[in-house]
């Protein structure tokens, strides 16, 4: 009850509309978190408890089976306009090139593009073809999540110093070991826009420019929204994103702000707020994460979150991660979660016959139009 009242009050502070809008934002598409069952087993055998982190246990590069199953789930549900739910698939457009990094003795970082990653891990670019089929069917809408999901400076520093666990993960082509399963006290390797000092901003400017170019090369258009890895970015990054055409900032209610100080500061945002550059903030106010939090009653939780939002006229931005729909490492993960997701979406349509499914950019444009 307390949580429900809190959600109602927070939703009431942001943008409101008479329309019942549902957006699904899903992160990490294109990234390689756990490359194979063999890598998982090797790390587990070495005593690294990858079984205790849902991302390390279940999250693999999306393949055609994953995408086909996702489309089947989404296509079975329709809103009042005959539209299926659409996944705003926030995409990482490059991954570390382990061979080049090793050849350079960990003194130089290098990456491969996401199209090269599909070729390397799956032997073809058929996955990208299936993605484009989903785009044409308006069930899959890619947006930019970053060039890679790596705090490069921090990761390379650990590799160059010979950190044993980081090197072992590297040998298995893994960068994303959760800080919850390693003993070393360090910052996450996943916070791509993290920084040690403000000189790092210049490096990020190059990274973000390349990210947009790679995104356009893969999908044929520029991304106008962006979600920072692990909700971690500095206000200075917003100007860099504005330069590459980003006018919408996805995120949670709390932005983690890095700087040349220990830890992070926090900036609070509300749905539909905008900054001095005119960029609109979209705030995630519901979530679906069964792969990493299996003991939650997700249907009951989402029902309450949607109710709290619609009660005050707020749109629902449902946060989820690719891991919840992946079956490459464990097929049951995909099967069970898609069945649950389908039941939840079907129930929402029954509860709210006037619900409307939108992608992130459509919601942002609706907010802008409503303010005129």
């Amino acid at each position: 009850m307390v949580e429900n009242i809190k959600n109602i009050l927070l939703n009431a502070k942001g943008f409101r509309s008479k329309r019942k809008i549902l957006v699904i934002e899903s992160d990490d598409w294109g990234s390689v978190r756990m490359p194979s069952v063999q890598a998982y087993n090797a790390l587990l055998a070495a005593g690294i408890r990858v079984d205790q982190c849902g991302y390390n246990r279940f999250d693999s590069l999306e393949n055609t089976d994953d995408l086909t199953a996702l489309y089947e789930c989404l296509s079975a549900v329709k809103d009042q306009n005959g539209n299926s739910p659409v996944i705003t698939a926030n995409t990482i457009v490059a991954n570390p090139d382990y061979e080049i990094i090793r050849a350079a003795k960990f003194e130089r970082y290098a990456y491969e593009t996401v199209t090269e990653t599909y070729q390397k891990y799956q032997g073809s670019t058929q996955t990208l073809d299936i993605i484009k089929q989903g785009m044409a069917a308006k069930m899959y809408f890619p947006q930019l999540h970053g060039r890679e999901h790596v705090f490069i400076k921090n990761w390379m520093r650990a590799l160059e110093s010979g950190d044993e666990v980081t090197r072992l993960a590297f040998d298995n082509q893994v960068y994303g070991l959760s800080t919850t399963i390693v003993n070393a006290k360090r910052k996450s390797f996943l916070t791509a826009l993290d920084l040690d000092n403000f000189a790092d901003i210049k490096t990020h400017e190059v990274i973000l420019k390349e990210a947009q170019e790679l995104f356009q090369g893969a999908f044929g258009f520029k991304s106008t929204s962006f979600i920072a890895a692990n909700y971690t970015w500095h206000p200075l990054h917003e100007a860099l994103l504005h330069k590459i055409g980003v006018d919408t900032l996805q995120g949670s209610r709390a932005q983690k702000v890095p700087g040349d100080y220990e830890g992070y500061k926090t900036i609070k945002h509300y749905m539909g707020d905008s900054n001095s550059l005119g960029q609109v903030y979209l705030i995630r106010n519901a979530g679906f994460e069964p792969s990493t939090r299996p003991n939650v009653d997700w249907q009951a939780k989402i029902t309450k979150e949607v109710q709290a939002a619609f009660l005050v006229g707020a749109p629902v931005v449902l946060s989820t991660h690719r891991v919840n729909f992946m079956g490459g490492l464990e097929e049951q993960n995909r099967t069970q979660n898609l069945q649950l997701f389908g039941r939840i979406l079907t129930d929402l349509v029954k509860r709210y016959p006037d619900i409307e499914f939108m992608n992130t950019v459509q919601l942002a444009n609706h907010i802008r139009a409503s303010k005129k």
Side-chain angles (χ1 to χ4, degrees):
M1 179 62 73
V2 173
E3 185 68 21
N4 202 39
I5 293 172
K6 179 182 176 183
N7 283 338
I8 292 170
L9 294 174
L10 288 170
N11 282 313
K13 291 184 179 181
F15 170 80
R16 289 186 279 177
S17 169
K18 294 181 179 180
R19 298 164 68 177
K20 293 182 174 64
I21 298 166
L22 175 65
V23 171
I24 303 168
E25 293 182 347
S26 181
D27 298 347
D28 300 342
W29 300 83
S31 64
V32 180
R33 187 68 182 266
M34 184 60 66
S36 66
V37 173
Q38 291 77 14
Y40 174 87
N41 288 335
L43 292 171
L44 190 60
I48 300 174
R49 297 304 303 270
V50 285
D51 58 320
Q52 294 184 355
C53 171
Y55 290 103
N56 293 142
R57 182 178 174 187
F58 299 119
D59 198 17
S60 55
L61 182 67
E62 62 272 12
N63 60 36
T64 56
D65 289 342
D66 295 322
L67 292 162
T68 300
L70 177 62
Y71 298 161
E72 288 177 359
C73 172
L74 298 176
S75 63
V77 184
K78 304 291 182 184
D79 68 8
Q80 64 169 345
N81 301 313
N83 296 318
S84 291
V86 52
I87 297 288
T88 296
N90 295 309
T91 304
I92 294 297
V93 293
N95 288 282
D97 190 316
Y98 292 89
E99 293 180 8
I100 294 179
I101 295 170
R102 184 186 298 281
K105 299 180 180 180
F106 307 105
E107 294 176 356
R108 181 171 67 88
Y109 176 77
Y111 66 80
E112 63 188 22
T113 68
V114 69
T115 52
E116 291 170 333
T117 297
Y118 289 138
Q119 181 76 38
K120 178 179 177 180
Y121 284 91
Q122 297 164 6
S124 72
T125 56
Q126 190 176 3
T127 300
L128 190 57
D129 294 335
I130 299 296
I131 284 174
K132 290 180 178 178
Q133 289 177 22
M135 291 166 60
K138 297 182 179 180
M139 291 187 291
Y140 190 100
F141 181 66
Q143 288 291 275
L144 186 60
H145 191 19
R147 195 181 70 183
E148 49 273 289
H149 208 309
V150 185
F151 181 6
I152 295 171
K153 187 176 181 180
N154 195 23
W155 185 55
M156 292 297 294
R157 186 161 48 210
L159 287 170
E160 191 173 5
S161 69
D163 180 79
E164 183 178 358
V165 173
T166 307
R167 283 281 188 97
L168 179 60
F170 181 95
D171 291 341
N172 288 279
Q173 301 199 346
V174 173
Y175 60 82
L177 289 182
S178 171
T179 53
T180 61
I181 62 171
V182 295
N183 293 324
K185 300 299 180 184
R186 59 166 173 79
K187 276 189 170 184
S188 171
F189 291 151
L190 300 171
T191 50
L193 293 183
D194 213 328
L195 46 87
D196 292 329
N197 55 66
F198 290 108
D200 294 336
I201 294 287
K202 293 300 293 181
T203 302
H204 293 163
E205 182 173 18
V206 174
I207 288 172
L208 291 171
K209 182 175 182 293
E210 290 183 356
Q212 184 72 288
E213 291 169 352
L214 292 173
F215 183 95
Q216 186 171 14
F219 302 113
F221 64 97
K222 287 186 176 182
S223 177
T224 57
S225 81
F226 179 82
I227 173 69
N230 293 38
Y231 307 116
T232 303
W233 79 98
H234 193 278
L236 291 172
H237 288 121
E238 296 174 3
L240 306 183
L241 290 163
H242 186 264
K243 286 174 67 174
I244 63 170
V246 170
D247 59 19
T248 302
L249 301 169
Q250 302 178 39
S252 65
R253 290 180 175 124
Q255 171 187 348
K256 291 171 61 179
V257 181
D260 54 355
Y261 41 76
E262 187 174 348
Y264 303 94
K265 295 180 180 177
T266 299
I267 297 176
K268 296 291 182 69
H269 298 292
Y270 296 97
M271 186 79 74
D273 285 353
S274 57
N275 61 19
S276 61
L277 298 169
Q279 293 167 312
V280 170
Y281 298 96
L282 296 189
I283 306 305
R284 297 173 175 185
N285 53 1
F288 178 74
E289 304 289 356
S291 291
T292 53
R293 296 171 63 195
N295 297 322
V296 172
D297 184 340
W298 289 101
Q299 182 149 3
K301 182 176 184 294
I302 290 172
T303 299
K304 290 177 182 177
E305 289 168 336
V306 172
Q307 183 182 43
F310 285 169
L311 184 66
V312 295
V316 173
V317 179
L318 178 67
S319 172
T320 187
H321 285 75
R322 177 190 66 178
V323 61
N324 300 296
F325 311 120
M326 294 297 98
L329 298 176
E330 194 168 318
E331 188 173 347
Q332 191 176 22
N333 176 69
R334 179 182 68 214
T335 302
Q336 287 183 342
N337 292 344
L338 282 178
Q339 288 174 350
L340 175 58
F341 199 49
R343 289 197 301 271
I344 291 170
L345 293 171
T346 299
D347 180 67
L348 289 176
V349 170
K350 288 179 180 178
R351 288 174 182 270
Y352 305 101
D354 54 346
I355 199 168
E356 297 179 64
F357 299 129
M358 290 186 181
N359 64 44
T360 290
V361 171
Q362 288 171 326
L363 173 57
N365 289 340
H366 171 58
I367 291 173
R368 288 189 185 90
S370 300
K371 290 183 176 180
K372 291 181 180 178

